């Protein structure tokens, strides 16, 4: 009996080491992806600063141009308009690299916020923004439990970039929590006692599961709380046996 118990412990230790190695490898890959995302954000910010600087220089040159030549002034104004159009298109392309894309509309712009969790694409949401007479949300497909109006009141009038960034954090965290709950239910249903209980925002998860020993089974109940709405990992876990 002692030898069999030692063999079981060795097998369990070996399996644990394999899982730990896989987890470390996964963390390294995730760190690499985060570094790449940060690099793309920095590159986006540098390009945006260059675009703004060149636009200011072009507008400054326009201001000192002689007014005696209307044709030249019209051509210069058209060049400024084309430059602004290209700048907007370039910014939309840069947004796309970080999960944000959009297109111009007759009212303003329609933005698409793509969501993913650890490299798995999980869908997208749309926000249609109008700019006249003031910047406001015209239509959207954001779920009702995401505090869209509060975020818009706080960030949208002054900083559209900040508004889209914070909204993207909320949406990615929500779909990440939902995806993990779905995976838990699908992949470990044989160990779960019933279904995973969750609310609409998926920031409270409750479930029960069994862990079997050599001669008996131990029932557990778990409750996961997500205190940060912009994170996809729990901030508190309560486990009872």
């Amino acid at each position: 009996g002692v030898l069999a118990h030692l063999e079981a412990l060795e097998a369990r230790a070996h399996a644990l080491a394999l899982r730990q190695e896989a987890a470390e490898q996964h963390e390294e890959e995730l760190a690499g992806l985060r570094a790449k995302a940060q690099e793309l954000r920095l590159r986006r910010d540098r390009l945006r600063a260059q675009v703004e600087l060149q636009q200011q220089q072009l507008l400054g040159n326009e201001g000192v141009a002689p007014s005696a030549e209307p044709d030249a002034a019209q051509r210069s104004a058209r060049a400024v308009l084309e430059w602004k159009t290209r700048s907007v298109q370039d910014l939309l392309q840069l947004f796309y690299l970080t999960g944000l894309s959009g297109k111009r509309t007759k009212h303003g712009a329609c933005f698409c916020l793509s969501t993913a969790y650890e490299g798995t694409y999980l869908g997208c949401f749309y926000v249609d923004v109008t700019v006249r007479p003031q910047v406001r949300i015209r239509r959207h497909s954001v779920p009702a439990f995401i505090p869209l109006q509060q975020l818009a009141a706080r960030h949208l009038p002054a900083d559209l970039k900040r508004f889209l960034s914070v909204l993207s954090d909320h949406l990615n965290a929500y779909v990440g929590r939902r995806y993990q709950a779905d995976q838990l239910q699908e992949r470990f249903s044989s160990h779960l006692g019933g279904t995973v209980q969750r609310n609409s925002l998926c920031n409270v998860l409750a479930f029960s599961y069994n862990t079997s020993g050599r001669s008996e089974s131990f029932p557990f109940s778990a409750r996961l709380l997500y205190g940060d709405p912009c994170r996809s990992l729990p901030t508190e876990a309560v486990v009872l046996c």
Side-chain angles (χ1 to χ4, degrees):
V2 174
L3 293 178
H5 185 64
L6 289 175
E7 290 177 356
L9 290 177
E10 290 178 355
R12 187 177 303 177
H14 180 66
L16 180 61
L18 292 177
R19 288 196 298 268
Q20 184 176 0
E21 182 180 357
E24 291 176 354
Q25 183 177 2
H26 177 72
E27 288 294 332
E28 292 178 358
E29 294 176 355
L30 184 60
L33 292 175
R34 288 173 177 169
K36 183 64 175 178
Q38 182 65 22
E39 179 184 354
L40 290 175
R41 292 191 185 97
L42 293 175
R43 186 182 304 174
R44 176 199 63 188
D45 294 339
R46 287 196 298 268
L47 290 175
R48 182 178 299 166
Q50 293 176 2
V51 168
E52 293 177 354
L53 179 60
Q54 293 178 2
Q55 183 176 351
Q56 292 174 1
Q57 293 176 349
L58 185 58
L59 291 176
N61 294 335
E62 170 64 14
V64 299
S67 58
E69 301 181 2
D71 293 340
Q74 291 178 359
R75 289 195 299 270
S76 179
R78 186 165 55 251
V80 172
L81 180 59
E82 293 175 352
W83 174 260
K84 290 182 178 180
T85 302
R86 289 195 301 270
S87 299
V88 171
Q89 293 174 347
D90 291 341
L91 287 177
L92 292 178
Q93 179 63 24
L94 290 173
F95 277 134
Y96 177 76
L97 295 176
T98 57
L100 297 173
S101 60
K103 63 179 181 180
R104 298 176 61 188
T105 65
K106 64 179 181 180
H107 301 285
C110 182
F111 295 93
C112 173
L113 294 90
S114 301
T115 59
Y117 179 74
E118 294 187 349
T120 301
Y121 173 74
L122 298 176
C124 56
F125 301 88
Y126 295 91
V127 178
D128 190 358
V129 176
T130 182
V131 296
R132 294 179 182 179
Q134 60 182 359
V135 181
R136 63 180 181 87
I137 298 175
R138 183 168 174 264
R139 293 178 300 181
H140 66 87
S141 63
V142 177
F145 42 79
I146 299 294
L148 178 64
Q149 297 304 326
Q150 291 89 328
L151 297 177
R154 187 181 308 168
H155 303 292
L156 184 57
D159 194 341
L160 176 61
K161 170 189 171 184
R162 178 62 179 169
F163 166 73
L164 293 174
S165 176
V166 175
L167 178 59
S168 178
D169 291 340
H170 277 264
L171 292 172
N172 275 281
Y174 156 65
V175 299
R177 296 191 298 266
R178 184 186 63 185
Y179 176 75
Q180 293 178 85
D182 292 340
Q183 290 293 301
L184 175 63
Q185 185 70 56
E186 294 175 6
R187 298 175 57 185
F188 302 98
S189 59
S190 60
H191 299 280
L192 296 175
T195 59
V196 178
Q197 305 296 322
R198 49 181 162 173
N199 59 352
S200 57
L201 192 56
C202 291
N203 61 351
V204 178
L205 300 181
F207 53 93
S208 59
Y209 61 97
N210 295 318
T211 299
S212 299
R214 295 185 60 189
S215 60
E216 55 185 332
S217 178
F218 300 94
F220 289 84
S221 64
R223 180 180 176 88
L224 304 181
L225 304 177
Y226 299 79
D228 188 346
C230 293
R231 291 186 59 188
S232 56
L233 296 178
T235 56
E236 182 180 352
V238 180
V239 180
L240 300 176
C241 177

